[in-house]
Amino acid sequence: MAQGTKDRASVLQETDDDARRLARILLRSARSCALAVLEPETGFPFATRTLTGIDTDGTPVILVSGLSAHTQALKADPRASLLAGEPGKGDPLAHPRLTVTVRAEEVPRDGEAHRTLRERFIRRHPKAKLYVDFPDFRFFRLVLQRGMLNGGFGKAFVLSAEDLAIRSPARAALAAAEAGAVEHMNSDHRDAAGVYARHYCAARDGDWTLVGIDAAGIDLASGDRLKRLEFEQELESAEALRGELVRLLRQARGDG
Amino acid sequence: MAQGTKDRASVLQETDDDARRLARILLRSARSCALAVLEPETGFPFATRTLTGIDTDGTPVILVSGLSAHTQALKADPRASLLAGEPGKGDPLAHPRLTVTVRAEEVPRDGEAHRTLRERFIRRHPKAKLYVDFPDFRFFRLVLQRGMLNGGFGKAFVLSAEDLAIRSPARAALAAAEAGAVEHMNSDHRDAAGVYARHYCAARDGDWTLVGIDAAGIDLASGDRLKRLEFEQELESAEALRGELVRLLRQARGDG
């Protein structure tokens, strides 16, 4: 056992800001993840695919049908995990991926939290509008317990729930302003999203729009692609948003 | 409870040959899958990514480091599942995917089974040659228990282990002939793999080679892409292989 611990310790690296940043981007830019739940009858771990979004505090959310096996499983036992990060081209193991263990909490449909989540989720996944209001559909917040980042061969990092949380005191104020700010950017500053995507998120083409804003960054979409721009640090107030968006734009255009 | 059962039944469709075929292709053409295991300390289901191969009886196999968290988990509890099928472009939930629940069985390194698996796995994943013989690496056979196919919205099917097994009596004879047959096809019938990939597996471009043969079909690779051609029915003898490969080629070329 001591030997096993030593061996594993030698694979794990010390978690630094680059690892935290990569982990946050993997989780916050995911359109879908593998979700692992516990099969009620057998106790087997059961992996499935779900669309994912992110609440304004950094908590992943899923929208699921009550008829699905994974929803039944989460109602019976809230322990779950999400695997974020697609294999893409080349060696599947060369692509970074993140597992977060979570506790699922169902979001009541008649509350304010549901309304906010619904709005954010539909901006991220416009087609979800077709079924989000079906009577059997529910949001679950997947409350973060711990993360394990695999950044490629021999690069493993453990992350705490705090490493993946958005903790700014401006969280609620930004959430209240989000829909208006997104609409304003997409209508009055139509080019900005493309500049952000190309300069900060390695996008090469696409017709980008802003689909989310929170204290830690912005979400950008083009068709079925999603990118996450993380701010250098979390905004401390809702008033700081405008300045940060302008600064990022100027910096990208090389005159800031 | 009766209500829940009734509702779920209405989502499930009757498993037919098309569903079996799609499930087999998803599993047998996967380069990597999400693997869900049980975290020993916490009991949480833990999803991670692994390269996958297929044994000649249809059993999925993984090659894993003893230092990894998922290997430790499988040694403590063999219950696991694999999610096959990548989200690709467009709506992630529109792409078919398959979950199989499995029991993991470690393959002893000094046996014949290991030698055969090693050879098949390396043909499928040539880069695995770099680490397959590291002392901490092991193959696990993931013995199939049950499958759940999701073929897109509202198209769910339950599969049995038998639906996903390769049961031909020619299994061992074909395994013994596999390496030679693959080499022969790739050197003496260099165009055949491309014909198979384009005509039967919807490949549009690529430089295809044969990387696997078993009683139920062949595996084709081009760079990091993998395709699975399933025979209409399993070969009943090793001698039937040549005829089937010729028949498929003629049919594709429209003169058969």
Side-chain angles (χ1 to χ4, degrees), chain A residues 9-210:
Chain A
S10 71
V11 173
L12 282 179
Q13 305 206 357
E14 197 171 341
T15 304
D16 55 16
D17 283 346
D18 285 346
R20 285 185 198 96
R21 188 178 176 78
L22 176 57
R24 290 169 185 155
I25 289 175
L26 282 170
L27 188 60
R28 295 172 190 171
S29 68
R31 297 179 72 230
S32 69
C33 288
L35 168 71
V37 298
L38 295 169
E39 208 175 43
E41 301 83 5
T42 66
F44 272 65
F46 189 90
T48 182
R49 186 173 307 288
T50 51
L51 296 185
T52 48
I54 301 286
D55 201 353
T56 52
D57 62 352
T59 301
V61 295
I62 55 174
L63 172 64
V64 287
S65 161
L67 309 184
S68 72
H70 47 263
T71 306
Q72 304 282 336
L74 291 177
K75 287 188 184 215
D77 191 322
R79 292 177 293 177
S81 69
L82 284 179
L83 170 65
E86 295 302 329
K89 287 188 189 295
D91 188 334
L93 299 189
H95 293 264
R97 62 268 183 200
L98 171 74
T99 303
V100 286
T101 48
V102 300
R103 280 188 179 275
E105 291 180 357
E106 189 173 337
V107 178
R109 278 182 81 125
D110 48 4
E112 177 61 19
H114 186 275
R115 201 190 59 74
T116 309
L117 280 181
R118 181 183 177 286
E119 196 176 79
R120 270 179 79 82
F121 199 87
I122 288 175
R123 268 201 307 273
R124 190 181 189 97
H125 300 290
K127 277 191 211 155
K129 215 184 304 180
L130 298 176
Y131 50 84
V132 61
D133 297 323
F134 283 4
D136 61 300
F137 273 77
R138 292 289 181 280
F139 284 105
F140 282 82
R141 277 171 43 92
L142 302 181
V143 179
L144 294 162
Q145 309 293 307
R146 214 165 53 91
M148 172 73 81
L149 170 69
N150 191 320
F153 291 107
K155 291 196 283 185
F157 304 88
V158 170
L159 295 117
S160 67
E162 289 68 35
D163 286 330
L164 297 166
I166 300 174
R167 282 164 298 177
S168 162
R171 192 170 81 75
L174 279 161
E178 183 183 5
V182 165
E183 200 185 311
H184 165 70
M185 290 297 291
N186 287 332
S187 61
D188 296 351
H189 305 279
R190 244 195 105 57
D191 298 340
V195 173
Y196 297 143
R198 286 187 296 273
H199 188 81
Y200 297 103
C201 308
R204 272 177 293 182
D205 50 18
D207 180 20
W208 295 89
T209 58
L210 209 64

Side-chain angles (χ1 to χ4, degrees), chain A residues 101 146, chain B residues 37-46 73:
Chain A
T101 48
R146 214 165 53 91
Chain B
V37 298
L38 296 169
E39 208 175 45
E41 302 84 4
T42 66
F44 272 64
F46 190 89

